[in-house]
Amino acid sequence: DIRRSDEWRKTGIVKGSERLTAFDEKGRFVRNFPAAFENFINPDDKIILICRTGNRSAVLAHMLTEQAGYKHVYNVKNGITKWIQHKNPVSRR
């Protein structure tokens, strides 16, 4: 889950998600994201990204596959918003 902490608190997260903010409140890329991401994800891992509406996670998925060498990156289309609308479970941890 690449959203910010205020977004996690507002909606909850998909159970089992790792939380790592990729963009700040002004939409700027968080500079320490790549190093933090590489600490627990390998380029051959299967990765599913989620944000509020799917826009930020789509941009990041494209960047990771086209520029960073990750091979299996997927985006949750329409993000956590649609996930919740479809009554899928979220965790409030």
Side-chain angles (χ1 to χ4, degrees):
D1 192 321
I2 65 163
R3 298 176 298 148
R4 300 180 313 272
S5 60
D6 61 306
E7 294 176 292
W8 299 323
R9 285 189 301 274
K10 183 177 180 180
T11 63
I13 64 169
V14 175
K15 185 178 180 179
S17 292
E18 296 289 342
R19 295 175 284 181
L20 185 60
T21 301
F23 299 93
D24 70 14
E25 63 280 348
K26 293 183 179 179
R28 295 177 299 216
F29 189 65
V30 174
R31 290 181 186 241
N32 69 341
F33 177 86
F37 188 78
E38 289 174 2
N39 280 334
F40 64 92
I41 301 291
N42 295 311
D44 291 326
D45 289 345
K46 291 183 179 170
I47 305 158
I48 301 170
L49 301 173
I50 192 167
C51 66
R52 187 175 60 84
T53 62
N55 294 328
R56 289 174 285 176
S57 52
V59 167
L60 186 57
H62 181 75
M63 183 191 75
L64 289 169
T65 57
E66 297 297 319
Q67 298 176 10
Y70 288 84
K71 305 206 183 335
H72 310 284
V73 183
Y74 306 93
N75 173 44
V76 176
K77 187 177 179 182
N78 300 313
I80 194 84
T81 302
K82 190 65 81 170
W83 179 268
I84 292 169
Q85 283 178 355
H86 286 288
K87 303 204 184 310
N88 290 305
V90 293
S91 172
R92 299 269 181 186
R93 62 173 157 140

